[in-house]
Amino acid sequence: MVFSTPIFVLLFLPLVLLFYYFRPLRMGNAVLIVFSLLFYAWGEPVAILVMLASIAANWLFGMLCVRKGVRKSGRGWLALSVVFNLGLLVGYKYTGFIVENLNALLGGAVIPVPSVVMPIGISFFTFQAMSYVIDVYRKVTPVNRSILDVALYISFFPQLIAGPIVRYHDINQQIQSRTHTPEKFTSGVLIFIMGMAKKALIANAMAKLCDRVYALPGGELSTALAWAGALAYMLQIYFDFSGYSDMAIGLGKMFGFEFKENFLYPYAESSMQDFWRR
């Protein structure tokens, strides 16, 4: 996980905080956009073009959805934005899968299977971009005429790679104006540390146990070991995502943002609906 690597904790994060808190007035969002794009380019330099295209297209779709207040026309632009975003997602994630299945249906390797390098975090920033256009169309929030604000919403590095997915209407006002206090910053640091501990100390340990169990030949896998592997995997998944969400929430607080709680004891729920909601 990027957030738990030494280079992020010891170099990138201190630099962002330094530039952010000693910036010229009203340049806070610009600083966060620049560092968010650098953060993304750090993992996948070429894919930054995909993100920039997504930002520009969805900002434009948002503007077109409310153009002259024509509801019917807005519905068409909304549909086009969904097609664009899902097409981007399917194109990068499932092109190889689709071609392989077509070849199987055609009885042989007829179509060359393309080698597609999938941009990191494309699922998360694509669904966030869709959230912006949908919120604008539904009039849940007003259209943002500043492409820089939309860029910050889509590219903000704390939740860029693995979420949590943040709805635009939840942080629209915070993009425009947010408060910074020593108490909020301290709280953010503590939440970030707690999330990193979940990931590094618990999730990683459970992953090693799980890998060892599932690496055993079938004849050596007893009922007790199978249950141990299943429980280890369950804990690995929970603390991995919960830890990442905590780190994202903590980082957000350091920059004045309040993200909603994620992974709020989902395993304690009694219904599938509440499980997914949490």
Side-chain angles (χ1 to χ4, degrees):
M1 179 175 291
V2 178
F3 289 169
S4 57
T5 58
I7 193 169
F8 177 84
V9 176
L10 300 178
L11 179 60
F12 183 81
L13 182 57
L15 273 177
V16 183
L17 291 170
L18 180 66
F19 275 86
Y20 182 76
Y21 279 101
F22 291 93
R23 70 189 188 275
L25 193 63
R26 298 183 181 276
M27 292 291 289
N29 285 356
V31 169
L32 292 180
I33 292 170
V34 170
F35 276 97
S36 293
L37 294 177
L38 286 174
F39 177 83
Y40 193 67
W42 176 11
E44 196 69 48
V46 178
I48 194 70
L49 299 175
V50 179
M51 172 171 283
L52 291 174
S54 176
I55 290 169
N58 284 284
W59 171 77
L60 183 59
F61 283 133
M63 297 285 286
L64 292 171
C65 277
V66 298
R67 184 170 58 99
K68 296 182 180 179
V70 180
R71 184 73 173 176
K72 186 176 181 180
S73 174
R75 190 180 300 117
W77 288 115
L78 174 66
L80 189 59
S81 76
V82 172
V83 170
F84 169 82
N85 285 294
L86 293 184
L88 194 67
L89 194 59
V90 171
Y92 275 100
K93 294 193 74 170
Y94 301 111
T95 297
F97 174 79
I98 292 170
V99 171
E100 287 174 0
N101 281 274
L102 280 175
N103 286 336
L105 288 173
L106 295 172
V110 179
I111 307 171
V113 179
S115 178
V116 180
V117 179
M118 185 172 63
I120 300 171
I122 188 171
S123 298
F124 292 96
F125 74 72
T126 298
F127 283 115
Q128 288 221 156
M130 288 176 63
S131 164
Y132 166 70
V133 181
I134 292 169
D135 281 352
V136 168
Y137 172 76
R138 290 178 174 174
K139 301 188 185 301
V140 176
T141 185
V143 66
N144 197 321
R145 300 188 180 279
S146 169
I147 193 172
L148 294 181
D149 287 352
V150 176
L152 178 58
Y153 165 67
I154 294 174
S155 69
F156 192 34
F157 74 89
Q159 35 75 238
L160 173 61
I161 293 178
I165 294 174
V166 177
R167 296 294 300 273
Y168 180 73
H169 64 256
D170 289 331
I171 64 167
N172 175 38
Q173 294 300 322
Q174 298 178 58
I175 291 175
Q176 309 297 327
S177 177
R178 51 193 177 274
T179 59
H180 304 80
T181 64
E183 293 77 17
K184 181 184 284 189
F185 186 88
T186 302
S187 172
V189 171
L190 293 176
I191 294 172
F192 177 80
I193 292 172
M194 182 174 64
M196 190 160 57
K198 286 180 180 180
K199 166 61 181 172
L201 301 181
I202 303 178
N204 288 356
M206 291 297 103
K208 290 180 180 179
L209 175 59
C210 184
D211 290 344
R212 291 186 64 180
V213 169
Y214 288 118
L216 293 173
E220 298 179 19
L221 192 62
S222 66
T223 301
L225 277 175
W227 273 107
L231 290 171
Y233 185 67
M234 179 187 75
L235 293 172
Q236 176 199 347
I237 290 296
Y238 173 77
F239 283 105
D240 204 337
F241 282 97
S242 177
Y244 196 100
S245 292
D246 283 351
M247 282 190 275
I249 291 169
L251 286 168
K253 279 181 174 289
M254 293 183 204
F255 298 103
F257 287 91
E258 293 283 354
F259 296 150
K260 286 190 173 181
E261 188 72 36
N262 275 254
F263 286 87
L264 189 61
Y265 306 112
Y267 289 152
E269 289 304 315
S270 57
S271 71
M272 187 63 70
Q273 180 180 0
D274 285 338
F275 172 82
W276 285 111
R277 180 174 57 81
R278 290 177 175 269

